[in-house]
Amino acid sequence: MRILDPHIHMTSRTTDDYEAMYAAGVRAVVEPAFWLGQPRTSAASFTDYFDSLVGWERFRAAQFGIRHHAAIALNPKEANDPRCREVLTEIPRYLLKDGVVAVGEVGFDSMTPAEDEAFAAQLELARDADLPVLVHTPHRDKLAGTRRTLDVVRESGLPPERVLVDHLNETTVALVHDAGMWAGFSVYPDTKMDERRTVALLREYGTTRMIVNSAADWGRSDPLKTARTGREMLAAGFSDDDVDQVLWRNPAEFYGQSGNLVLDPVPGFVAGEPPAPGVEFEGSSVLRGVRA
């Protein structure tokens, strides 16, 4: 089983997690910018964080044989703080960095006018940078939030195949599926979706444009939920090829639209050996489009 976790916050995770992920088949991740739990108070704290995502975290992941990529954005929750919205002027330069494969997470938290404005502005940034977009749907009033999300995306003029709408469930998947966008499912121990419910939706809607992630962060979460979902798919009668499509080829196709996705093995990495301090992490080739 090979896995590209398309939404995981590795800044919040340990090196033990990286080792366990590699052992489970994870060979690449995408880490979207998000709220850290403690409110930021200035745009400068965002730029320090962005620098870590495109620098240190890529290096840290490579030491454990995993390719790390980032999505950059002002997250919906902090879009409500005027002190944070200044970072919107800084984001364009980060969208040009190596390893940045999308704009995200953008979308709604409380569905305020400020969130609406920041969402629309960052969809425009994505269009200007020719990058796909990872969209966060709200945890409260998810159905209304998803409907508004799709309206804002349509108003932006972005092609639907360039948009991944995440944190979906049984009440929202049909809206996104029918809109022609990519459908994302975050599999959690207690909240969001679990393996069984996710597999049931894969059985109902098929595996095309369907993406599974762990969204593991600093809360109670599990960076191996992608692998666990793959095993649940096999137990439910899906084929190895179906699992590979959902856990590898689908996220590779979506983020491959950026032209910045690197899926080559990390040079110099040997499984089971201590990480080499000088391991190269730039990679020998860049995905442009999709490579199986």
Side-chain angles (χ1 to χ4, degrees):
M1 188 184 301
R2 55 180 182 169
I3 301 169
L4 192 174
D5 193 327
H7 183 156
I8 186 169
H9 302 288
M10 290 309 302
T11 298
S12 309
R13 310 303 304 194
T14 68
T15 54
D16 286 350
D17 290 325
Y18 270 126
E19 289 183 330
M21 289 163 62
Y22 186 90
V26 177
R27 295 296 180 267
V29 298
V30 175
E31 179 164 0
F34 82 134
W35 182 58
L36 297 181
Q38 172 67 29
R40 296 179 177 93
T41 58
S42 73
S45 61
F46 278 92
T47 56
D48 288 340
Y49 170 59
F50 294 163
D51 285 338
S52 177
L53 291 183
V54 301
W56 166 248
E57 202 58 44
R58 292 181 72 207
F59 170 72
R60 193 167 77 107
Q63 290 182 299
F64 296 91
I66 295 175
R67 290 292 189 178
H68 181 282
H69 309 82
I72 300 294
L74 168 63
N75 66 83
K77 188 176 184 70
E78 291 180 300
N80 293 296
D81 189 334
R83 299 171 300 177
C84 296
R85 286 202 297 273
E86 295 177 7
V87 78
L88 289 172
T89 62
E90 299 290 334
I91 288 174
R93 66 184 176 94
Y94 283 96
L95 301 183
L96 302 174
K97 300 283 188 179
D98 289 344
V100 175
V101 295
V103 173
E105 301 177 60
V106 298
F108 291 110
D109 179 59
S110 300
M111 295 181 65
T112 65
E115 292 172 17
D116 208 309
E117 181 180 341
F119 186 11
Q122 292 183 97
L123 291 177
E124 184 175 350
L125 293 180
R127 184 176 62 247
D128 293 344
D130 195 25
L131 288 175
V133 181
L134 173 62
V135 180
H136 168 100
T137 52
H139 302 304
R140 301 175 299 278
D141 201 2
K142 187 173 286 291
L143 183 58
T146 302
R147 285 176 174 147
R148 180 56 188 150
T149 292
L150 299 184
D151 287 342
V152 175
V153 171
R154 292 186 187 105
E155 292 162 6
S156 76
L158 282 176
E161 66 271 14
R162 306 279 285 181
V163 180
L164 167 56
V165 184
D166 210 352
H167 309 318
L168 299 179
N169 60 24
E170 292 88 345
T171 68
T172 54
V173 59
L175 291 172
V176 174
H177 186 269
D178 293 346
M181 300 176 196
W182 293 76
F185 303 93
S186 299
V187 184
Y188 256 45
D190 299 315
T191 61
K192 299 185 173 73
M193 295 289 286
D194 62 21
E195 296 94 323
R196 179 187 55 80
R197 291 166 58 202
T198 301
V199 170
L201 289 178
L202 291 171
R203 185 182 294 113
E204 180 177 357
Y205 290 93
T207 57
T208 301
R209 297 197 314 274
M210 302 288 264
I211 287 182
V212 171
N213 64 76
S214 72
D217 56 16
W218 31 254
R220 188 164 188 271
S221 50
D222 181 354
L224 303 184
K225 280 294 188 181
T226 48
R228 299 189 203 284
T229 302
R231 291 196 292 271
E232 185 74 17
M233 289 178 67
L234 293 173
F238 284 90
S239 68
D240 289 335
D241 188 69
D242 292 330
V243 173
D244 191 70
Q245 180 181 0
V246 171
L247 297 185
W248 183 265
R249 300 197 309 270
N250 280 356
E253 181 178 347
F254 177 73
Y255 287 116
Q257 296 177 97
S258 69
N260 297 324
L261 188 66
V262 178
L263 297 182
D264 295 342
V266 175
F269 174 77
V270 179
E273 292 190 3
V279 67
E280 178 189 355
F281 67 90
E282 289 300 325
S284 58
S285 67
V286 172
L287 262 185
R288 297 195 177 276
V290 182
R291 183 170 61 214

